[in-house]
Amino acid sequence: MYLIVKGHVVFTEDVQNSVTKLMDNTERCKLKEKHSFGESAVMFNTLRTNSVQSLSAVELNSISKNDFTDIIKDNLQLQWNENAIAIKNSSYFKHLSLMELNKCSTISFIKTFKDHEYVLGKGTGDVDYAYFVLESEISLILHLEIIEEIVKRYRNVRFKMFKLTKTSEKFNKKKYSNVYVNTCTFLPDSCFNIGNKINFMR
């Protein structure tokens, strides 16, 4: 088992392409400081099927199989059991086999957020993960920068999107406003950050 002290790594796995029948090296996930890997093979006594590659200079702590079994295994098993129950209750994962469920429980974690706390967005959260709502609700808030323009011909007001840059901030005399729009609400058993850009959302 390895604990990441510093740096980032990527998990890859050789998966057979359904069309070409060739083996493709597929990215599974990325891990950073305070994350660990290698424990599932020890816990379930299975062969390692993933490869791990460093994305930067990496510093690791290694734990032997015997030390892992004596010190960590029981506590980690409780955490994985909690993860497995949450995953099994989600409609997204009901088709998983026992082996797949065990694998998911080792690479996922449950995190609790306070009321009105930002979960994900520009400079907030981990954009490399998908999020599945277990309880309560999550609001998806879109951050817009707009300019108010007066149309002289029709004597009315219109709004358009405005991308703030150093040049536009210095030379553009039009007033721009920050607007936050609640675009949707994620309910329990829904997910987000799968295939969408979340940088300008909250």
Side-chain angles (χ1 to χ4, degrees), residues 1 41-42 45 63-70:
M1 173 185 171
V42 178
N45 196 27
I63 301 174
S64 69
K65 182 177 181 179
N66 290 336
D67 289 339
F68 175 86
T69 302
D70 293 339

Side-chain angles (χ1 to χ4, degrees), residues 24-51:
D24 292 336
N25 193 249
T26 304
E27 180 180 317
R28 290 305 189 192
C29 66
K30 294 177 182 177
L31 301 178
K32 59 181 182 179
E33 290 88 347
K34 298 183 180 180
H35 289 167
S36 60
F37 60 90
E39 59 268 39
S40 60
V42 178
M43 179 72 78
F44 302 113
N45 196 27
T46 58
L47 295 176
R48 300 184 188 276
T49 58
N50 296 318
S51 297

Side-chain angles (χ1 to χ4, degrees), residues 125-157:
D126 197 329
V127 296
D128 292 325
Y129 282 83
Y131 292 77
F132 297 85
V133 183
L134 301 179
E135 296 179 1
S136 194
E137 300 176 355
I138 299 287
S139 295
L140 181 65
I141 301 173
L142 183 63
H143 178 199
L144 303 175
E145 290 168 339
I146 61 173
I147 294 179
E148 180 180 325
E149 289 186 336
I150 298 177
V151 183
K152 294 181 179 179
R153 182 177 178 182
Y154 301 104
R155 302 182 66 84
N156 59 4
V157 178

Side-chain angles (χ1 to χ4, degrees), residues 1-100:
M1 173 185 171
Y2 298 90
L3 176 66
I4 303 174
V5 178
K6 180 181 179 181
H8 297 74
V9 301
V10 60
F11 262 67
T12 60
E13 183 176 5
D14 289 333
V15 179
Q16 187 179 52
N17 188 296
S18 59
V19 178
T20 65
K21 305 303 180 183
L22 300 176
M23 300 301 289
D24 292 336
N25 193 249
T26 304
E27 180 180 317
R28 290 305 189 192
C29 66
K30 294 177 182 177
L31 301 178
K32 59 181 182 179
E33 290 88 347
K34 298 183 180 180
H35 289 167
S36 60
F37 60 90
E39 59 268 39
S40 60
V42 178
M43 179 72 78
F44 302 113
N45 196 27
T46 58
L47 295 176
R48 300 184 188 276
T49 58
N50 296 318
S51 297
V52 182
Q53 182 179 2
S54 62
L55 296 175
S56 62
V58 176
E59 183 178 338
L60 303 173
N61 275 339
S62 61
I63 301 174
S64 69
K65 182 177 181 179
N66 290 336
D67 289 339
F68 175 86
T69 302
D70 293 339
I71 303 171
I72 302 175
K73 183 176 180 179
D74 290 342
N75 289 333
L76 198 56
Q77 184 67 64
L78 292 175
Q79 177 187 329
W80 286 355
N81 288 343
E82 185 179 2
N83 292 349
I85 291 172
I87 293 170
K88 195 172 182 179
N89 289 335
S90 171
S91 60
Y92 293 94
F93 304 104
K94 289 187 179 297
H95 65 283
L96 294 183
S97 65
L98 180 60
M99 181 178 295
E100 291 169 332

Side-chain angles (χ1 to χ4, degrees), residues 135-189:
E135 296 179 1
S136 194
E137 300 176 355
I138 299 287
S139 295
L140 181 65
I141 301 173
L142 183 63
H143 178 199
L144 303 175
E145 290 168 339
I146 61 173
I147 294 179
E148 180 180 325
E149 289 186 336
I150 298 177
V151 183
K152 294 181 179 179
R153 182 177 178 182
Y154 301 104
R155 302 182 66 84
N156 59 4
V157 178
R158 69 179 181 182
F159 298 91
K160 71 176 184 178
M161 299 292 294
F162 176 66
K163 186 174 182 180
L164 181 62
T165 63
K166 290 183 179 180
T167 303
S168 62
E169 186 177 21
K170 184 176 181 180
F171 296 105
N172 198 313
K173 296 181 180 179
K174 298 175 182 178
K175 292 183 178 180
Y176 64 90
S177 303
N178 290 304
V179 177
Y180 296 90
V181 181
N182 188 351
T183 58
C184 68
T185 300
F186 296 107
L187 302 176
D189 201 30

Side-chain angles (χ1 to χ4, degrees), residues 88-134:
K88 195 172 182 179
N89 289 335
S90 171
S91 60
Y92 293 94
F93 304 104
K94 289 187 179 297
H95 65 283
L96 294 183
S97 65
L98 180 60
M99 181 178 295
E100 291 169 332
L101 182 63
N102 287 337
K103 181 181 288 187
C104 283
S105 69
T106 64
I107 62 174
S108 61
F109 55 91
I110 297 174
K111 187 172 182 180
T112 302
F113 295 90
K114 300 176 182 178
D115 288 344
H116 308 298
E117 181 181 356
Y118 285 135
V119 175
L120 192 63
K122 191 174 183 180
T124 304
D126 197 329
V127 296
D128 292 325
Y129 282 83
Y131 292 77
F132 297 85
V133 183
L134 301 179

